[in-house]
Structure formats: C-alpha cells, structure tokens
C-alpha cells in the first residue's frame, strides 16, 4: 500500500487561503505560524517607526513593510515568506501582492513556539536569495543577531537590548534598543 502524499501548494493556493490564516509557503508546503504576542507587536512597531522615520528624513526611496506582507524570494518558486519587517530599496520588486525578489534588509522577531524557523530555515532561504542584511530579534532572551550577507559573506554579530546597533545597509542609521518603548 503506498504512503499518502503530502499536498503540494502553489503560490496561487497560498494567496487563496482565508485571510485569518497566519502562514508561510516553503517549497510547496504550508507552514502555520502562531499569532504574535503583544511584545512582538511592540518591537515590530518600534522598529518600523525608527526605520521609516530615518528613510523619510533622508528622502530615501526604500520602502518598509510589516507582516503580513508576502515576499516571494524567487519568481517561479512556490515559497512565500512573511517577514516581520521587510525593507525594499528596489521598488521594481514590488507587486500588488507584495515583493518578488530579495528585500535588502529583513527583521524577524522570534516566536517562542518555533525559533528554529527564523534561525535555520529562513536564514538559509534569505542568504541564498541575496538578502543583504538579516536581523533576528529574540525578545525572550533579549538578544539581537545581525547577519550581514553582502558579497556572499555571512558575518554574525550579537547584541543585547541594551545596545545600539548600526544598520549595515545605511551609513548612519543606528537603532538604540534601550530607547525603544517596550514594556518588558
């Protein structure tokens, strides 16, 4: 007797999921995600505000999007991720559905229920796609891991919520985590 086959989902299947489903599509498989906590939302909001304010103050063209926002790293592949924060400087990558191609900078805020998803799965996918900078914000451990991935190099620096972190894709954007309005 043959083993049952897992259902393979396409990009169209993903976009036809009900709006109340929080999920990603990785190599044709749906990966369901937990709803974000209040702290997760606070961190996302504070970082979005800091980055957007910086870009606007410089008259920059980059765009900042928060989840839910679909990122299809490679056109034609059945993988769509929903990073917590995506910074896209090449606006030709933007579509009515989200982004097709690698954002310049991605920030993920870990979920205690599945941290390996951000630390392993997404790190590999983002690196392979050409994302220039990837931050993992681990609220539970009050740590930020910054991966700079320009020129196929992969360097990692670790910080705490007491540190000021320089964004690698900008010359003068520094985010002081100790000044963020977080109720921790």
């Amino acid at each position: 007797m043959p083993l049952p086959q897992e259902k393979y989902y396409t990009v169209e299947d993903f976009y036809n999921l009900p709006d109340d489903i929080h999920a990603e599509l990785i190599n044709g498989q749906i990966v369901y995600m937990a709803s974000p906590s209040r702290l997760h939302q606070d961190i996302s909001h504070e970082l979005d505000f800091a980055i957007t304010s910086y870009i606007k103050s410089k008259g920059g063209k980059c765009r900042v999007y928060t989840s839910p926002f679909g990122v299809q790293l490679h056109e034609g592949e059945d993988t769509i991720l929903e990073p917590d924060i995506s910074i896209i400087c090449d606006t030709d990558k933007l579509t009515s559905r989200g982004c097709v191609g690698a954002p310049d900078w991605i920030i993920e805020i870990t979920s205690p229920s599945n941290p390996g998803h951000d630390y392993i799965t997404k790190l590999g996918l983002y690196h392979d796609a050409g994302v220039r900078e990837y931050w993992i914000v681990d609220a539970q451990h009050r740590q930020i891991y910054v991966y700079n991935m320009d020129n196929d190099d992969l360097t990692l620096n670790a910080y705490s919520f007491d540190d000021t972190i320089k964004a690698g894709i900008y010359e003068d954007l520094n985010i002081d985590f100790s000044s963020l309005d977080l109720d921790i």
Side-chain angles (χ1 to χ4, degrees), residues 12-51:
E12 288 307 314
D13 294 330
F14 176 80
Y15 281 118
N16 287 321
L17 290 173
D19 289 340
D20 62 339
I21 300 292
H22 192 57
E24 294 179 315
L25 177 67
I26 300 177
N27 298 323
Q29 298 302 304
I30 300 290
V31 177
Y32 295 96
M33 299 185 309
S35 294
S37 68
R38 184 178 57 84
L39 177 58
H40 181 285
Q41 293 295 83
D42 285 345
I43 294 168
S44 179
H45 172 75
E46 289 287 312
L47 291 174
D48 174 32
F49 180 77
I51 297 164

Side-chain angles (χ1 to χ4, degrees), residues 15 65 68-70 91-100:
Y15 281 118
Y65 295 95
F69 179 77
T91 57
D92 288 340
K93 294 179 180 179
L94 298 173
T95 70
S96 61
R97 288 182 162 172
C99 175
V100 177

Side-chain angles (χ1 to χ4, degrees), residues 37-44 46-47 109 137-144 160-163 176-184:
S37 68
R38 184 178 57 84
L39 177 58
H40 181 285
Q41 293 295 83
D42 285 345
I43 294 168
S44 179
E46 289 287 312
L47 291 174
I109 303 160
V137 178
D138 186 334
Q140 185 176 3
H141 297 102
R142 299 178 48 87
Q143 295 287 306
I144 303 98
S160 78
F161 276 32
D162 297 322
D163 292 326
D176 180 0
F177 268 76
S178 68
S179 73
L180 299 181
D181 186 15
L182 304 175
D183 187 22
I184 312 179

Side-chain angles (χ1 to χ4, degrees), residues 35-37 39-40 43 84 107-119 134-143 145 161:
S35 294
S37 68
L39 177 58
H40 181 285
I43 294 168
D84 291 310
I107 300 172
E108 293 283 9
I109 303 160
T110 62
S111 167
S113 65
N114 191 7
H117 190 58
D118 295 322
Y119 284 104
Y134 177 41
W135 290 19
I136 299 174
V137 178
D138 186 334
Q140 185 176 3
H141 297 102
R142 299 178 48 87
Q143 295 287 306
Y145 300 96
F161 276 32

